[in-house]
Amino acid sequence: MRRLLTYFFSFALLGATLMWFTSYTHYTSIGLDADSKQNKLIAHHYYRVRWPGNGSIWFGGGISQRASDPSHPYEPFDLAASFLHSNPQKPQAHSLLNRIGFWQQNSPSPNLQYWLGVPAWLPVLILSLIVFRLGKK
């Protein structure tokens, strides 16, 4: 079991390292979407892990609503991804914590969103410590 965990975290470490290196120049987003019908409205819930192109990784999502339209049916579940866009719109840093890579953004209207961001090197450090600890025993 330990060997399987070591392989899993090593693979995750490799992926996190690659995303860390590209996180300063490219936009990537991985997540899922879930729609639900509410009378004549469709509620769209989305959850993402994003590398917005500023050296950080953001976790979060949001909710939006739209009118039910037969020409644009809802999808109860959908995987969503956008990989390595080379011209990202980088969020503007408003504080020292933002420049370091820590973010917290929410917008209650018109569409509810919440994002929490950390420097992209932080998951690499945490996964490295886990792999080191698993390999040491």
Side-chain angles (χ1 to χ4, degrees):
M1 182 65 175
R2 181 180 306 259
R3 176 178 267 174
L4 182 62
L5 283 174
T6 303
Y7 286 141
F8 173 77
F9 284 111
S10 296
F11 183 72
L13 175 60
L14 177 62
T17 303
L18 291 172
M19 292 311 301
W20 170 34
F21 291 142
T22 64
S23 72
Y24 294 94
T25 57
H26 291 77
Y27 173 86
T28 298
S29 175
I30 302 170
L32 60 95
D33 298 342
D35 290 349
S36 61
K37 284 187 178 180
Q38 298 174 345
N39 296 327
K40 294 187 179 196
L41 294 175
I42 294 177
H44 176 70
H45 299 256
Y46 55 95
Y47 310 94
R48 301 278 190 280
V49 176
R50 295 178 16 180
W51 292 264
N54 66 348
S56 63
I57 178 174
W58 292 20
F59 304 92
I63 304 169
S64 63
Q65 291 187 347
R66 63 178 169 88
S68 182
D69 181 4
S71 66
H72 183 49
Y74 83 102
E75 296 182 41
F77 179 79
D78 185 26
L79 294 175
S82 179
F83 293 104
L84 300 173
H85 285 254
S86 61
N87 193 13
Q89 289 183 317
K90 297 178 184 180
Q92 185 177 1
H94 298 289
S95 69
L96 176 62
L97 286 175
N98 291 156
R99 286 191 286 280
I100 295 171
F102 293 96
W103 293 80
Q104 188 267 326
Q105 287 187 344
N106 63 343
S107 64
S109 65
N111 299 322
L112 176 66
Q113 290 188 42
Y114 183 79
W115 298 99
L116 186 62
V118 297
W121 54 262
L122 190 58
V124 173
L125 176 65
I126 292 169
L127 288 169
S128 296
L129 293 173
I130 291 171
V131 169
F132 178 74
R133 181 76 174 146
L134 285 171
K136 193 173 181 180
K137 290 185 179 184

